[in-house]
Amino acid sequence: MLAFLGSAGMLVAVFGAGLLVWRGVAAARGDGAGDLIGAARVLIAGAVVAMGAMVIALLVDDFSLVYTANHHAAATPFPFNVATAWAALEGSIVLWGLVLAGYTWFVAARYRRSPDRLGAASLAVMGVVAIFFFGLMATVANPFEVCVEAAEIGCVESSWWPFAAADIPSDGPGPNPLLQNHLMMAIHPPILYLGYVGMTVPFAYAIGALALGVAGPEWLRRSHRSTVVAWSFLTLGILLGGWWAYEVLSWGGYWAWDPVENASLMPWLVATAFLHSGIVQQRRNMLQAWNLILVISTFSLTILGTFLTRSGTINSVHSFTQSAIGPALLGFLALTLVGSFLLFATRAEVVATSGRAKTFVSREGAFLINNLLLTIYAFVVLIGTTYPLILEAFTGTQVGVGEPFFNRLAVPLSFLLLLVMGFGPITPWGEAPPGLLWRRTRNPVVVALAVGLAAAALVTRNGWVVLSITLGVFVIGSIVGLLFEQAGKRVAKTDQRLGQAIRAVLTGDGAFWAGQLSHVGVVLVAIGIAFAANLGTHLEVDLEPGGSVEFEGYTIVYESPFQQSHPSKTTIGSRLSVLRGDRLVTIAEPAVNIFNDTAVPTPEVLHGPGGDFYITLLDIPSPESATLTLDTSPMIWVLWLGGLTTVAGGFLAMRARRHERRPAPEPRAIDV
Amino acid sequence: MSDGPHRNLERSMSERLRNVVTVTVVAVMAVTLVTLVVTDRSQPDRVQSIGQRIKCPVCQGESIANSPSAMARDMMDVVAEKVAAGETDDAIIDELLGSFSGAVLLDPPAAGSTLVLWLAPAIALMLGVVVIVWWRKHPTEHRPSPRPRARRIVPIALLAVAFGTIVVVAGSFLQDRAGPASGVAAIDTENLDDVSNETMKAVIAANAGHPEVDGMRLALAQRYFDANDYRLAFPHYLAVAQSPDATDTQAVTALVRLGWMAWDGNAEVETALELFDEALAIDEGSVTARYLKAQVLWCGAGDLDEAETLMQDILIDPDLPVDSREQVRREIEAIRAGTACK
Amino acid sequence: MSGRFLRWVGYGIAAIAVAFAVVLASRFGTDPGLVDSPLLGEPAPAFALSPLEGGEPVALEELKGDIVIVNFFASWCLQCRAEHAALTSTADAFAGQGVTLVQIGYQESPPASIDYLELAGRSESALYLADPGSRAAIAYGVFGIPETFFIDEEGIVVGKIIGESDALVLGATIDAIKRGERPGQSVTGDTSQRPED
């Protein structure tokens, strides 16, 4: 029954998508308005039914579905049983499809029926993407196949026919134990997908505009809100992923330049560039070629990312196993890239805009530099991730490219970006009048150096930390300075009090200041990472019961080992007393969870204003000894706070009252 | 106002003074800061920094410094030992690469095949700068030209070709890795020339009970038989003869050999004849069985009539190899003549 | 003018995309974890390990002149269990023929290995050694088990099998080495890296 529902849902979705493409193309050509919202409704109905069937199957332990049989276990507690829906390959594509259908419906709801060829063309493009994903679901990656030959656990053979005679296994293997350790499993993938999939919208608008041969900022303006939404969720998704990794995999685990992490970073970098660069096109009608290339790249990178993690061509902690999905995704990626850029090439005259930045010392110039830096950054991540593949394809030799390489290039780029972040917002559009920049930067520079000096003298002399603090204070100083400058002008002109003036300035250009808040967030992230990565300490120790060790001002006393049994796992742990001086801070119980045969460590984290103190149980080789590692991650909370601030900026920008963005042909002398 | 220009001059002078002071302060602070940082005496942990550059071989991409796995910790112990022994970073890494190969290096060297990796971003950056600068110098001339329909076909054709190429190439690479031929099933019992007796013994011992090992048994036993080592050949022939999975041909061969060894080795006529009859029960047309039975009847049992009948049956049997006919004919004549066999 | 430039940018990126896709496609069906051992053709790394039950360490040096088969195993490795009979029978078959089998425990405590061998069986002529601290495994660059190294009479590593071996492959490799050939590396299947695999 559920197999039938799920399969039917998929097919309905494919049908809806096809309908959308058909009507969208017709409307884009000018043959009437077309009932696109109707088609979008069919699409989302199918997607919801498919997802619903999957979730219900997981909740009621219906093992006749091959997906449940191979990935679910009856003992899995809520919410991990629901999260199993996207824990494995086929299910994650169902989730992708659902989110895509949601965005498509959202866009279709705003489709104005009177000739709106751009809207129709964009919806047609989204329909094509939906056909691919739902088609993938219905053919190669079908989770609703019925199990026709079962093993003790799991399914041996399956059939796509929903009414086939089912051979139901008594249980399934359950989701990967690493994925049952933390609530994030239920939250992180959907949020990340809201980000990834959302990038389809600006892409669709861009392709629609190219196909119709209409240039100009309209496609940008109409898709801007979706871009901001998608970017915010993508940022949040990456942040949550990092936090989850940190909690589960312990120290430094928030980012390891793992191929899947890179797969999410690349589109984020290019999307950030696109977000910024789009402003220039909306305000000054420039950089259209950049914007088109950036948005096509963003979408392509989301597909590439999916391909890299699903196809098994690269090893990663996230690896799903090889299957035919790899070639399908690669084919779609190639089609997207080649098709989009060929379209770009044929519409080249339309693409080229007339505006040119007069000088680099201008807002446009800053954005241009920003584009370049972010693109290079994404390029570095791309070649680092794919180089082992490429080299092996050509020469057969094997190389590893990991953290040292990425850090070496990413860190300088990040600092350059911080610098641009400080200068950019205080640089006016057009040409900066002489002395303006100096007036705006001299105070922030002085303050930044002073704080940096103080940090070097009092906290640490580590170069990276000091540099990040100095640059960070400079950026924040620039922003605050700008705010006060504008508020000051208001006070001078209108007699408002300063507080009121500040509020007025902030709400007057909400999107801009929301962006500045995100910049503050990025600064905090940089500072947090600098501290945690450079000033962390590490110690591995063997303790016997009653033994103790001193570390970073703490005293750890090993009390005793313990063991607990749960339905799906056994927990082996060690009970420790953590003291500071004579005062007992807490009883820590780092443990190792053993699911069937897999052992997953659950470290104990002590949070504090100075940072996190990490205790990981590695092994209890005998009742007389436990092997522990102790780590500190100083100031790591700054990283999480910064990440949340960055996301907050994005969400605030969504809600901000839109400042009128008409392309002005003649930039005014002082224009912020 | 009469003091306007004067006030302006004052303001610009104080402005300039302020600027000078600011620049001086900034310069002093900057220099101090840089000095403080550069003279930072904290020793980096060599073991950790080396460990960050080596990938843990049993993990997915983690370095041995960061991985909690036992193998990673053992490797860090090795690194720590070598650091304590005074080896340089590069020497330690080279040693590890010499054991594991370059695949465990997370930090690709700026040389050789990975030089591209370091150069590419720099080149991309320069390219980007060049493009931006060039772009600024060449403004767009708006010449909207109507695009003839024919020219639309070119990009679509290119697209189709490109996509087709990818599909074909991807498909051709999508072959399953053929599992390497190994194991008993892959043994080609006609081509065992290169395989030593010991290897065969090992295979048979490791696969006793496997239905396909009978062929190998026969091959090994044949070698012993040819070397006249009946004692070593016997257990293998017996195993094949008793094996429920042996093919008829194999069983017949084994029985026939056993019969011959019984006669030739132990002069056990009855046993030999029984074995030959067993073989003939499976395959009554077996030329070898009948021939050897005839031989035993002639030489052992002295039953010349039976022997002659069998030999004559064999002579007209189309399965008898042509070059053996002559010998069979001669032996028939010998039997008729009552000659004793050799 | 800039239109033409952009057109070429578009075509250029499309062409690069095709090349990139082809390169990625060529990696289908290959194992991203597979590496070639740099030890082939080199002198075998020395080791001196005690037997599982304890006692005087046995050095690789002492076995020079024989063909030495070094096999890394553990009780939790399914492929190792599957190939154990083949290794034992090969050791028996070639006993006294200048071939010595050395089995080294990988990431496992000696008592666990001893218990396992009790069930799985031993060969009289083979050596069963413990590897505390994984020194030998590291020296031999073991990525996962089972891995089996073949060292010729002069102490050079001439062969390596990754994955489960069988009597035919083992015997054929020994035969080849006796003839003076260098069989090189072959992959017969998957390896296990941790007990939970």
Side-chain angles (χ1 to χ4, degrees), chain A residues 325-365:
Chain A
I325 299 209
L329 279 171
L330 183 62
F332 184 66
L333 172 68
L335 182 65
T336 304
L337 277 171
V338 175
S340 306
F341 280 107
L342 281 181
L343 186 60
F344 177 90
T346 55
R347 296 278 189 258
E349 273 105 20
V350 165
V351 167
T353 45
S354 54
R356 294 282 182 279
K358 285 216 174 64
T359 160
F360 279 112
V361 187
S362 63
R363 187 74 62 88
E364 306 91 299

Short mmCIF file of all heavy atoms in Angstrom, two decimals, chain A residues 325-365:
data_model
loop_
_atom_site.label_atom_id
_atom_site.label_comp_id
_atom_site.label_asym_id
_atom_site.label_seq_id
_atom_site.Cartn_x
_atom_site.Cartn_y
_atom_site.Cartn_z
N ILE A 325 23.48 6.11 -9.57
CA ILE A 325 23.12 7.52 -9.43
C ILE A 325 24.29 8.40 -9.85
O ILE A 325 24.10 9.49 -10.37
CB ILE A 325 22.77 7.81 -7.96
CG1 ILE A 325 21.58 6.96 -7.58
CG2 ILE A 325 22.52 9.27 -7.77
CD1 ILE A 325 20.72 7.53 -6.54
N GLY A 326 25.50 7.92 -9.62
CA GLY A 326 26.67 8.70 -9.96
C GLY A 326 26.67 9.13 -11.41
O GLY A 326 26.74 10.33 -11.70
N PRO A 327 26.61 8.21 -12.34
CA PRO A 327 26.59 8.60 -13.75
C PRO A 327 25.42 9.51 -14.09
O PRO A 327 25.58 10.45 -14.88
CB PRO A 327 26.46 7.26 -14.48
CG PRO A 327 27.00 6.26 -13.54
CD PRO A 327 26.70 6.74 -12.17
N ALA A 328 24.26 9.25 -13.47
CA ALA A 328 23.11 10.10 -13.79
C ALA A 328 23.38 11.54 -13.36
O ALA A 328 23.13 12.49 -14.11
CB ALA A 328 21.85 9.57 -13.09
N LEU A 329 23.89 11.70 -12.15
CA LEU A 329 24.18 13.05 -11.66
C LEU A 329 25.26 13.71 -12.50
O LEU A 329 25.18 14.90 -12.80
CB LEU A 329 24.63 12.99 -10.20
CG LEU A 329 23.50 12.88 -9.19
CD1 LEU A 329 24.07 12.62 -7.81
CD2 LEU A 329 22.69 14.15 -9.18
N LEU A 330 26.27 12.94 -12.86
CA LEU A 330 27.33 13.51 -13.67
C LEU A 330 26.78 13.96 -15.01
O LEU A 330 27.11 15.04 -15.50
CB LEU A 330 28.45 12.48 -13.88
CG LEU A 330 29.65 12.98 -14.66
CD1 LEU A 330 30.30 14.12 -13.93
CD2 LEU A 330 30.64 11.86 -14.88
N GLY A 331 25.93 13.13 -15.59
CA GLY A 331 25.33 13.51 -16.86
C GLY A 331 24.51 14.79 -16.73
O GLY A 331 24.61 15.69 -17.57
N PHE A 332 23.74 14.88 -15.66
CA PHE A 332 22.93 16.08 -15.45
C PHE A 332 23.82 17.29 -15.24
O PHE A 332 23.55 18.38 -15.76
CB PHE A 332 22.01 15.87 -14.25
CG PHE A 332 21.07 17.01 -14.00
CD1 PHE A 332 20.08 17.32 -14.92
CD2 PHE A 332 21.18 17.79 -12.87
CE1 PHE A 332 19.22 18.38 -14.71
CE2 PHE A 332 20.32 18.84 -12.63
CZ PHE A 332 19.34 19.14 -13.56
N LEU A 333 24.88 17.10 -14.48
CA LEU A 333 25.81 18.20 -14.24
C LEU A 333 26.41 18.69 -15.55
O LEU A 333 26.47 19.89 -15.83
CB LEU A 333 26.93 17.73 -13.30
CG LEU A 333 28.09 18.70 -13.10
CD1 LEU A 333 27.62 19.91 -12.34
CD2 LEU A 333 29.23 18.02 -12.35
N ALA A 334 26.85 17.73 -16.37
CA ALA A 334 27.44 18.10 -17.64
C ALA A 334 26.43 18.83 -18.51
O ALA A 334 26.72 19.86 -19.12
CB ALA A 334 27.95 16.85 -18.36
N LEU A 335 25.22 18.28 -18.55
CA LEU A 335 24.18 18.91 -19.35
C LEU A 335 23.92 20.34 -18.88
O LEU A 335 23.81 21.27 -19.69
CB LEU A 335 22.90 18.08 -19.24
CG LEU A 335 21.71 18.55 -20.06
CD1 LEU A 335 22.02 18.44 -21.52
CD2 LEU A 335 20.49 17.72 -19.72
N THR A 336 23.83 20.50 -17.56
CA THR A 336 23.59 21.84 -17.01
C THR A 336 24.69 22.81 -17.40
O THR A 336 24.43 23.89 -17.92
CB THR A 336 23.53 21.76 -15.48
OG1 THR A 336 22.54 20.83 -15.10
CG2 THR A 336 23.23 23.11 -14.89
N LEU A 337 25.93 22.39 -17.16
CA LEU A 337 27.05 23.29 -17.44
C LEU A 337 27.14 23.62 -18.92
O LEU A 337 27.21 24.79 -19.32
CB LEU A 337 28.37 22.65 -16.99
CG LEU A 337 28.70 22.81 -15.52
CD1 LEU A 337 29.89 21.94 -15.17
CD2 LEU A 337 28.99 24.26 -15.21
N VAL A 338 27.13 22.57 -19.72
CA VAL A 338 27.32 22.79 -21.14
C VAL A 338 26.15 23.57 -21.71
O VAL A 338 26.33 24.55 -22.44
CB VAL A 338 27.50 21.44 -21.87
CG1 VAL A 338 27.57 21.65 -23.35
CG2 VAL A 338 28.75 20.76 -21.38
N GLY A 339 24.95 23.16 -21.36
CA GLY A 339 23.77 23.85 -21.88
C GLY A 339 23.74 25.30 -21.47
O GLY A 339 23.51 26.21 -22.28
N SER A 340 23.98 25.55 -20.18
CA SER A 340 23.89 26.93 -19.69
C SER A 340 24.94 27.81 -20.35
O SER A 340 24.63 28.93 -20.75
CB SER A 340 24.10 26.96 -18.18
OG SER A 340 23.21 26.09 -17.54
N PHE A 341 26.16 27.29 -20.45
CA PHE A 341 27.19 28.16 -21.00
C PHE A 341 27.10 28.30 -22.51
O PHE A 341 27.50 29.34 -23.07
CB PHE A 341 28.58 27.70 -20.55
CG PHE A 341 28.89 28.17 -19.15
CD1 PHE A 341 28.88 27.28 -18.09
CD2 PHE A 341 29.13 29.51 -18.90
CE1 PHE A 341 29.13 27.71 -16.81
CE2 PHE A 341 29.37 29.94 -17.62
CZ PHE A 341 29.38 29.05 -16.57
N LEU A 342 26.56 27.31 -23.17
CA LEU A 342 26.32 27.49 -24.60
C LEU A 342 25.24 28.55 -24.80
O LEU A 342 25.33 29.42 -25.68
CB LEU A 342 25.89 26.18 -25.25
CG LEU A 342 27.03 25.21 -25.54
CD1 LEU A 342 26.51 23.95 -26.21
CD2 LEU A 342 28.06 25.86 -26.46
N LEU A 343 24.21 28.50 -23.95
CA LEU A 343 23.16 29.52 -24.01
C LEU A 343 23.76 30.89 -23.75
O LEU A 343 23.46 31.88 -24.43
CB LEU A 343 22.09 29.18 -22.96
CG LEU A 343 20.83 30.04 -22.97
CD1 LEU A 343 20.13 29.94 -24.30
CD2 LEU A 343 19.91 29.61 -21.84
N PHE A 344 24.61 30.95 -22.74
CA PHE A 344 25.31 32.18 -22.40
C PHE A 344 26.08 32.70 -23.61
O PHE A 344 26.05 33.89 -23.94
CB PHE A 344 26.25 31.88 -21.23
CG PHE A 344 27.11 33.03 -20.79
CD1 PHE A 344 26.67 33.89 -19.81
CD2 PHE A 344 28.37 33.23 -21.33
CE1 PHE A 344 27.47 34.94 -19.39
CE2 PHE A 344 29.17 34.27 -20.91
CZ PHE A 344 28.72 35.13 -19.93
N ALA A 345 26.76 31.79 -24.28
CA ALA A 345 27.57 32.19 -25.42
C ALA A 345 26.71 32.74 -26.56
O ALA A 345 27.02 33.75 -27.18
CB ALA A 345 28.42 31.02 -25.90
N THR A 346 25.59 32.08 -26.79
CA THR A 346 24.77 32.54 -27.92
C THR A 346 24.06 33.84 -27.60
O THR A 346 23.66 34.57 -28.49
CB THR A 346 23.70 31.49 -28.29
OG1 THR A 346 22.94 31.20 -27.12
CG2 THR A 346 24.35 30.23 -28.80
N ARG A 347 23.88 34.12 -26.34
CA ARG A 347 23.21 35.38 -25.98
C ARG A 347 24.22 36.44 -25.55
O ARG A 347 23.88 37.36 -24.81
CB ARG A 347 22.24 35.14 -24.81
CG ARG A 347 21.10 34.22 -25.15
CD ARG A 347 20.01 34.98 -25.87
NE ARG A 347 18.83 34.14 -26.02
CZ ARG A 347 18.49 33.54 -27.15
NH1 ARG A 347 19.24 33.68 -28.24
NH2 ARG A 347 17.39 32.81 -27.21
N ALA A 348 25.45 36.27 -25.99
CA ALA A 348 26.54 37.10 -25.47
C ALA A 348 26.28 38.59 -25.61
O ALA A 348 26.61 39.37 -24.73
CB ALA A 348 27.84 36.72 -26.17
N GLU A 349 25.68 38.99 -26.71
CA GLU A 349 25.46 40.43 -26.88
C GLU A 349 24.52 40.99 -25.84
O GLU A 349 24.66 42.10 -25.37
CB GLU A 349 24.88 40.73 -28.27
CG GLU A 349 25.92 40.91 -29.32
CD GLU A 349 25.98 39.69 -30.22
OE1 GLU A 349 24.97 38.95 -30.22
OE2 GLU A 349 27.00 39.49 -30.87
N VAL A 350 23.55 40.17 -25.52
CA VAL A 350 22.57 40.61 -24.53
C VAL A 350 23.20 40.66 -23.14
O VAL A 350 22.85 41.49 -22.31
CB VAL A 350 21.37 39.63 -24.55
CG1 VAL A 350 20.52 39.81 -23.34
CG2 VAL A 350 20.58 39.83 -25.82
N VAL A 351 24.12 39.75 -22.92
CA VAL A 351 24.69 39.64 -21.59
C VAL A 351 25.54 40.84 -21.21
O VAL A 351 25.49 41.33 -20.10
CB VAL A 351 25.56 38.35 -21.51
CG1 VAL A 351 26.41 38.36 -20.28
CG2 VAL A 351 24.67 37.13 -21.55
N ALA A 352 26.31 41.29 -22.18
CA ALA A 352 27.27 42.36 -21.86
C ALA A 352 26.53 43.63 -21.50
O ALA A 352 25.72 44.13 -22.26
CB ALA A 352 28.19 42.58 -23.04
N THR A 353 26.85 44.15 -20.34
CA THR A 353 26.20 45.40 -19.92
C THR A 353 27.10 46.58 -20.25
O THR A 353 28.29 46.43 -20.49
CB THR A 353 25.93 45.39 -18.40
OG1 THR A 353 27.10 44.90 -17.74
CG2 THR A 353 24.76 44.50 -18.07
N SER A 354 26.52 47.71 -20.20
CA SER A 354 27.27 48.88 -20.64
C SER A 354 28.12 49.47 -19.53
O SER A 354 29.11 50.12 -19.80
CB SER A 354 26.32 49.95 -21.14
OG SER A 354 25.37 50.21 -20.12
N GLY A 355 27.74 49.24 -18.30
CA GLY A 355 28.44 49.93 -17.22
C GLY A 355 29.84 49.42 -16.99
O GLY A 355 30.12 48.23 -17.14
N ARG A 356 30.71 50.32 -16.68
CA ARG A 356 32.07 49.94 -16.27
C ARG A 356 32.42 50.73 -15.04
O ARG A 356 32.14 51.91 -14.97
CB ARG A 356 33.10 50.27 -17.35
CG ARG A 356 32.97 49.49 -18.62
CD ARG A 356 33.55 48.09 -18.47
NE ARG A 356 33.45 47.39 -19.73
CZ ARG A 356 32.35 46.81 -20.17
NH1 ARG A 356 31.26 46.82 -19.45
NH2 ARG A 356 32.33 46.21 -21.35
N ALA A 357 33.06 50.09 -14.10
CA ALA A 357 33.48 50.83 -12.91
C ALA A 357 34.54 51.84 -13.31
O ALA A 357 35.51 51.52 -13.99
CB ALA A 357 34.05 49.86 -11.88
N LYS A 358 34.36 53.06 -12.87
CA LYS A 358 35.33 54.10 -13.26
C LYS A 358 36.68 53.86 -12.61
O LYS A 358 37.73 54.13 -13.17
CB LYS A 358 34.80 55.48 -12.82
CG LYS A 358 33.70 56.03 -13.66
CD LYS A 358 33.82 57.54 -13.78
CE LYS A 358 32.79 58.11 -14.75
NZ LYS A 358 31.41 57.92 -14.29
N THR A 359 36.61 53.41 -11.38
CA THR A 359 37.86 53.19 -10.67
C THR A 359 37.65 52.04 -9.70
O THR A 359 36.52 51.75 -9.30
CB THR A 359 38.26 54.44 -9.89
OG1 THR A 359 39.19 54.06 -8.87
CG2 THR A 359 37.07 55.06 -9.21
N PHE A 360 38.74 51.43 -9.29
CA PHE A 360 38.60 50.34 -8.32
C PHE A 360 38.30 50.85 -6.93
O PHE A 360 37.80 50.13 -6.10
CB PHE A 360 39.89 49.50 -8.29
CG PHE A 360 39.95 48.51 -9.40
CD1 PHE A 360 40.86 48.65 -10.41
CD2 PHE A 360 39.05 47.46 -9.44
CE1 PHE A 360 40.90 47.74 -11.44
CE2 PHE A 360 39.08 46.56 -10.48
CZ PHE A 360 40.01 46.69 -11.49
N VAL A 361 38.63 52.13 -6.72
CA VAL A 361 38.34 52.67 -5.40
C VAL A 361 36.90 53.14 -5.38
O VAL A 361 36.61 54.33 -5.37
CB VAL A 361 39.31 53.81 -5.06
CG1 VAL A 361 39.12 54.25 -3.62
CG2 VAL A 361 40.74 53.37 -5.31
N SER A 362 36.00 52.21 -5.43
CA SER A 362 34.58 52.53 -5.42
C SER A 362 33.85 51.30 -4.95
O SER A 362 34.43 50.22 -4.85
CB SER A 362 34.10 52.88 -6.84
OG SER A 362 34.27 51.74 -7.66
N ARG A 363 32.57 51.46 -4.64
CA ARG A 363 31.81 50.30 -4.18
C ARG A 363 31.80 49.21 -5.24
O ARG A 363 31.94 48.04 -4.95
CB ARG A 363 30.38 50.73 -3.84
CG ARG A 363 29.54 49.63 -3.20
CD ARG A 363 29.94 49.36 -1.77
NE ARG A 363 29.73 50.54 -0.94
CZ ARG A 363 28.59 50.84 -0.33
NH1 ARG A 363 27.55 50.06 -0.44
NH2 ARG A 363 28.49 51.93 0.40
N GLU A 364 31.62 49.64 -6.50
CA GLU A 364 31.62 48.65 -7.58
C GLU A 364 32.95 47.93 -7.63
O GLU A 364 33.02 46.70 -7.80
CB GLU A 364 31.40 49.29 -8.95
CG GLU A 364 30.18 50.17 -9.07
CD GLU A 364 30.45 51.62 -8.75
OE1 GLU A 364 30.87 51.89 -7.62
OE2 GLU A 364 30.26 52.46 -9.62
N GLY A 365 34.01 48.70 -7.49
CA GLY A 365 35.34 48.10 -7.52
C GLY A 365 35.53 47.10 -6.38
O GLY A 365 36.07 46.02 -6.57
#
